[in-house]
Amino acid sequence: MRKRVFFALVFLMILQPAAWPQQTGETGFEDNPAMPGGVKGERIRSLIDTVNSGDAGRIRRFLSEECTEEFRTMAPMETHINVFLGLLRETGGIEFHGIRTYIPGRKGETVVIVKDKNLGNWLGLTLRFAGGAGFLVSGAAFGDARTPTDVVEPSLSADEIVGQTKAVVRRLIEKDSFSGALLIARGDDILLTMAGGKASRAFHVLNNVDTKFNLGSMNKMFTSTAVMRLVEKGKLSLDDPIGKYIDESWLPGSVTEKIIIRHLLTHTSGLGSYFNETFVKSSRDLFRKLDDYKPLIKDDKPAFEPGSRYRYSNTGMFLLGVIIEKTTGEDYFEHIRKAIYAPAGMTDTDCYEMDHPVENLAIGYSPDPQSPSGWRNNLYTHVIKGGPAGGGFSTVRDLHKFALALLGGKCVAPGTLKIMWTDYMGAGYGYGFYVDRGSAGTAVGHSGGFDGINSTLNIYVDSGYIVAVMSNVDRGAVPLARKIGSLLGRLKK
């Protein structure tokens, strides 16, 4: 399963891939020895039934009666309820399959394997229980899971994979469970494009395959690739202390002298995120140019010795944009247009200013049970203009072009690309790209998410397949991309 964080039933926060422990099998409720007296089994049944109910009252009762107080109070009750409802919307409901066991064992954790009804994806529900006879839930998280050992799935031809994807997406669109666009290609041969849902719910404007969707954190790929181009040209060194380029108006010298460029690229600097309390309380209109972000970054400090650990950092990736400006003497945005978008032929990608009209651009939406429409847009929560760490816009066609440019050596040399696409610290991340090894082989790329935003690009380096899925709804892209990846894992050899 992917890495998980135990907090407040926020199931949807799925992080980057982790190493898979050895899996030994699944057992049903009745014959699972990890359930003394069947109490844990009843608790698991109750949780699954609560997720599938879509009933706010039932969710409230489950949290009040079957979870510990500490767990329940880690977030407001309405937040818990919205997470349950969001999980039901994303999955269409979940079905119990079994309890997974591991070698070495997971002390204090019970891993329940379930299948989502919308996509047929396998998910792992990892639970912690409090001591005592009641086995109240004290921790929970969802993540994607390997296909169970007792399930045999037939091989598929390329045409069958495309056909099954079409059927799944059509079903999701009919249920209003997908709002976005997708593309599947093998090299430069586009096999499938589809779109559904609404770019504007206020004006009932439909999405199409050329709609521009928010990238979220996917801008990190562009920033990192631009930095590695500068390294190739000898204008930067991966081992340069960032204090060589970043002055004390950004961070103290005592911080920048310990961090090197490689740390920023690999998320090992220890720095955090500029989406902090200051950002939340500030007008979005204040943040357009890179220098505008200084008040959000100036107090950041490494949480550990730089280079010793992996910790995803928006601040670290943003500072790479500052280094690009210092090194080239160019505006960051203009440099990315010339160094990345132009060579790749990406004509519909940029960091647009959201108070300016942009043709065929999707507004992001999050489910909101309190809203008369059931939705709220993200215009007042997201940045007004994206930057080095995320927030730009693109299309599935442009993401395909970017993947081809990388594979074709138009952005960086093959040797550099190999470095970027190698897992740096075993955390499933290289240099600005995640590195995921699954049933379909090695996939590299990036995903992005925020309120009303979810997009991902997967480049399957072994088979040559490229999958881009973009959505203007929370968690609207990654689960579908994962489904397509599982189908590719069944490709006939």
Side-chain angles (χ1 to χ4, degrees), residues 1-3 14-20 144 310 423 426-429 434-437 443:
M1 293 170 58
R2 292 176 184 259
K3 289 182 179 177
I14 301 175
L15 306 183
Q16 296 299 331
W20 297 87
D144 57 319
Y310 172 90
D423 190 347
Y429 205 92
Y434 68 69
V435 183
D436 189 6
R437 296 178 180 86

Side-chain angles (χ1 to χ4, degrees), residues 342-374:
M346 300 165 69
T347 56
D348 290 314
T349 303
D350 212 335
C351 290
Y352 305 110
E353 299 192 22
M354 292 302 292
D355 53 351
H356 298 172
V358 179
E359 291 185 1
N360 203 8
L361 183 144
I363 302 300
Y365 295 94
S366 296
D368 184 358
Q370 309 305 317
S371 166
S373 68

Side-chain angles (χ1 to χ4, degrees), residues 202-264:
F203 297 100
H204 305 288
V205 178
L206 299 180
N207 288 316
N208 57 62
V209 295
D210 294 313
T211 297
K212 302 176 184 72
F213 295 93
N214 201 292
L215 289 159
S217 286
M218 295 175 71
N219 284 84
K220 292 178 173 69
M221 295 185 293
F222 309 148
T223 299
S224 298
T225 303
V227 168
M228 295 302 284
R229 287 180 80 255
L230 294 173
V231 171
E232 284 185 341
K233 295 176 182 294
K235 295 184 177 182
L236 292 174
S237 168
L238 292 175
D239 296 317
D240 281 343
I242 65 172
K244 184 176 178 180
Y245 309 95
I246 296 173
D247 62 39
E248 295 207 3
S249 66
W250 284 98
L251 287 170
S254 58
V255 172
T256 59
E257 69 183 7
K258 296 179 179 179
I259 299 172
I260 62 176
I261 290 176
R262 190 189 311 272
H263 295 155
L264 301 184

Side-chain angles (χ1 to χ4, degrees), residues 47 50 149:
L47 174 56
T50 300
T149 54

Side-chain angles (χ1 to χ4, degrees), residues 89 178-181 196-201 205-207 211-214 361-367 375-378 393 450-455 470-477:
R89 183 182 183 282
F178 177 67
S179 181
K198 296 176 181 179
S200 169
R201 291 180 177 268
V205 178
L206 299 180
N207 288 316
T211 297
K212 302 176 184 72
F213 295 93
N214 201 292
L361 183 144
I363 302 300
Y365 295 94
S366 296
W375 298 92
R376 58 179 168 81
N377 69 47
N378 66 358
F393 285 80
F450 198 80
D451 293 348
I453 295 168
N454 195 218
S455 297
M470 308 189 78
S471 175
N472 60 326
V473 173
D474 299 6
R475 294 285 302 158

Side-chain angles (χ1 to χ4, degrees), residues 104-136:
R106 296 182 171 214
K107 186 176 181 181
E109 297 181 2
T110 299
V111 181
V112 184
I113 302 302
V114 298
K115 191 173 190 178
D116 86 54
K117 295 180 181 180
N118 269 349
L119 294 165
N121 285 335
W122 295 104
L123 301 171
L125 167 57
T126 302
L127 297 173
R128 288 182 178 173
F129 298 95
F135 289 107
L136 297 179

Side-chain angles (χ1 to χ4, degrees), residues 178-337:
F178 177 67
S179 181
L182 69 92
L183 177 149
I184 302 175
R186 184 168 53 228
D188 58 5
D189 183 14
I190 297 176
L191 305 178
L192 176 66
T193 57
M194 295 185 74
K198 296 176 181 179
S200 169
R201 291 180 177 268
F203 297 100
H204 305 288
V205 178
L206 299 180
N207 288 316
N208 57 62
V209 295
D210 294 313
T211 297
K212 302 176 184 72
F213 295 93
N214 201 292
L215 289 159
S217 286
M218 295 175 71
N219 284 84
K220 292 178 173 69
M221 295 185 293
F222 309 148
T223 299
S224 298
T225 303
V227 168
M228 295 302 284
R229 287 180 80 255
L230 294 173
V231 171
E232 284 185 341
K233 295 176 182 294
K235 295 184 177 182
L236 292 174
S237 168
L238 292 175
D239 296 317
D240 281 343
I242 65 172
K244 184 176 178 180
Y245 309 95
I246 296 173
D247 62 39
E248 295 207 3
S249 66
W250 284 98
L251 287 170
S254 58
V255 172
T256 59
E257 69 183 7
K258 296 179 179 179
I259 299 172
I260 62 176
I261 290 176
R262 190 189 311 272
H263 295 155
L264 301 184
L265 287 163
T266 59
H267 294 292
T268 56
S269 69
L271 296 172
S273 177
Y274 55 85
F275 291 115
N276 50 30
E277 187 176 355
T278 303
F279 173 80
V280 172
K281 293 181 178 179
S282 300
S283 167
R284 303 299 183 265
D285 191 50
L286 297 174
F287 309 110
R288 294 179 190 263
K289 296 182 179 180
L290 268 55
D291 279 359
D292 297 338
Y293 284 77
K294 286 181 180 179
L296 306 181
I297 290 176
K298 64 183 180 65
D299 295 324
D300 205 335
K301 296 180 178 62
F304 49 81
E305 184 66 24
S308 64
R309 286 170 45 197
Y310 172 90
R311 180 198 188 195
Y312 192 82
S313 173
N314 284 311
T315 296
M317 195 62 66
F318 185 95
L319 290 175
L320 287 172
V322 179
I323 292 171
I324 288 172
E325 289 194 338
K326 179 68 173 179
T327 303
T328 64
E330 297 176 323
D331 171 77
Y332 165 81
F333 302 101
E334 185 59 33
H335 182 79
I336 296 298
R337 291 184 195 111

